[in-house]
Amino acid sequence: YQCDWSSDVGSSDLDTGGVLSFIHDGTAKEMGLDKLQGRQMVGVGGRVADYDWYSAREVRLASGTRFTNMLFAAIGRKLGDAVGSFGAGMFTTYDSDLDFVKGEWRAYVSGRPDFSGLTRLPGRFTKERGADRIELDALIDGYAVKCIADTGAPGMGLSGRAARDSGLWDSGKPYAPTRAYGIGDGDGVAARFYRAGEVKIGPMIFKDLLVKVAEPGTLSGNGSQGLIGLSVLSQLHLSTDVSAGALYAARNNMQAPQQRYPLSGLYLDDDKGRISVADAGIGSPAAKAGLRKGDVLLGGDLSAMIRATTGGEGKRVTLDRESTRLNSSHPDISR
């Protein structure tokens, strides 16, 4: 969810899962923001940021709303088309709405008049480093989990701790291997995409969602069990009741955003030009073709192998594993 904060700067994500606001280091320098001594932060995959922090004397949104002396932690790369992100405090300081249909964030400085037509979701505000975030109680295929409502995340995710406690990682269910990344410079952590039959948040039910699960034992989630991202939140009109520490919602009739995952089920490693299979997901075309973790693939560098093994459903792929030739195609492995 993006907000324009001035015509000469660009847009910034509204990240309800973020404790801090972030800005691209190069952009902050170009803008001449006041530099402050920052501190290193740790998140998914290790180091999140080891840059200066900056203070913006004034942030002006396209609507004319102004904020003074806003603090930003610097990061080394842009967030897609955005130059940074506003933290959760933007959404939890005042009663406010996130309207995905109109593309608006609306703040009620004197409090929202009423919450008629909205349903209170099970959850609470949680304070971390002085900022309130929204934690929701959810059921993912019957497994109870407490997840941060995170407009900065594309989909749903479970931390390594939740992956261990739920038993999902070792469940034998079909999956597609991937990596989980956060804001910053880390290399991410090993993760898997699973297909959840049903996700429930109070009376709200969502079917057929992808859930990215981090490997058990990895550092992820800033202490939370998981994240509920835009694959769910964008289907809801959201409204905060700050005095009660509550989140209200109503269906907005928007379609869930399309989620993509590796159709081949392969994840490859490159060790000085030696390309090997790091993982072949259960139930995937790669596994059905006989590829296994540790197999060495011949006939190309990593980029060529990735190009060969990615593509749309039905693409036919020919690979050399040591001296054995294998054939596979890309059926839908999501079920």
Side-chain angles (χ1 to χ4, degrees):
Y1 194 90
Q2 293 189 332
C3 295
D4 293 329
W5 54 313
S6 79
S7 58
D8 58 330
V9 173
S11 62
S12 184
D13 292 335
L14 178 52
D15 183 5
T16 61
V19 176
L20 298 169
S21 296
F22 291 92
I23 191 169
H24 174 236
D25 188 66
T27 301
K29 290 177 179 176
E30 291 174 9
M31 294 169 59
L33 297 185
D34 295 331
K35 185 186 297 185
L36 305 172
Q37 183 176 359
R39 55 186 170 83
Q40 192 177 78
M41 294 171 291
V42 177
V44 175
R47 187 161 60 94
V48 170
D50 191 16
Y51 299 90
D52 294 309
W53 288 20
Y54 295 89
S55 175
R57 298 174 188 174
E58 180 183 272
V59 173
R60 185 180 69 254
L61 302 184
S63 64
T65 305
R66 297 169 184 263
F67 301 87
T68 58
N69 300 317
M70 183 173 284
L71 181 66
F72 292 88
I75 53 177
R77 57 185 173 85
K78 293 184 178 180
L79 305 174
D81 296 330
V83 298
S85 67
F86 294 119
M90 183 80 79
F91 189 44
T92 57
T93 299
Y94 301 108
D95 289 358
S96 59
D97 296 339
L98 275 182
D99 188 333
F100 289 93
V101 175
K102 293 183 178 180
E104 292 179 352
W105 167 65
R106 297 187 291 270
Y108 302 87
V109 178
S110 300
R112 203 178 197 282
D114 65 75
F115 294 88
S116 59
L118 299 169
T119 299
R120 181 170 176 169
L121 300 181
R124 66 212 57 84
F125 284 14
T126 63
K127 189 174 291 294
E128 183 178 345
R129 299 177 192 160
D132 283 324
R133 297 192 298 175
I134 301 166
E135 186 178 68
L136 296 175
D137 299 326
L139 289 173
I140 301 176
D141 285 341
Y143 172 66
V145 63
K146 300 180 186 300
C147 293
I148 297 296
D150 187 1
T151 56
M156 294 196 62
L158 291 182
S159 69
R161 183 180 63 178
R164 179 199 64 205
D165 294 345
S166 67
L168 183 57
W169 188 271
D170 297 317
S171 66
K173 292 183 63 174
Y175 69 86
T178 185
R179 292 190 77 79
Y181 296 94
I183 291 175
D185 306 326
D187 295 327
V189 298
R192 295 173 176 177
F193 279 119
Y194 292 90
R195 180 72 71 175
E198 182 179 270
V199 174
K200 293 183 65 177
I201 308 172
M204 306 288 183
I205 298 176
F206 306 87
K207 298 285 189 179
D208 222 25
L209 293 176
L210 288 180
V211 180
K212 182 183 284 189
V213 179
E215 183 177 16
T218 54
L219 176 66
S220 58
N222 291 325
S224 69
Q225 291 178 284
L227 302 173
I228 296 174
L230 290 174
S231 61
V232 170
L233 299 180
S234 64
Q235 299 181 64
L236 302 173
H237 178 85
L238 302 173
S239 187
T240 52
D241 181 352
V242 173
S243 62
L247 182 68
Y248 285 76
R251 291 278 189 172
N252 61 16
N253 297 319
M254 287 185 65
Q255 293 293 320
Q258 186 178 15
Q259 295 181 276
R260 300 186 181 277
Y261 55 91
L263 287 173
S264 68
L266 272 178
Y267 201 91
L268 303 178
D269 274 343
D270 183 357
D271 182 11
K272 299 179 181 179
R274 184 175 183 268
I275 311 303
S276 62
V277 176
D279 198 2
I282 292 174
S284 69
K288 291 177 181 178
L291 286 170
R292 298 291 182 267
K293 183 176 180 178
D295 285 348
V296 177
L297 302 183
L298 308 175
D301 60 19
L302 181 62
S303 296
M305 289 291 182
I306 291 175
R307 287 194 300 271
T309 57
T310 56
E313 182 178 346
K315 177 181 177 181
R316 191 162 188 84
V317 181
T318 300
L319 298 172
D320 285 326
R321 179 190 64 183
E322 297 294 348
S323 61
T324 304
R325 182 166 293 253
L326 300 169
N327 283 294
S328 181
S329 58
H330 289 179
D332 187 343
I333 65 166
S334 62
R335 303 287 177 182

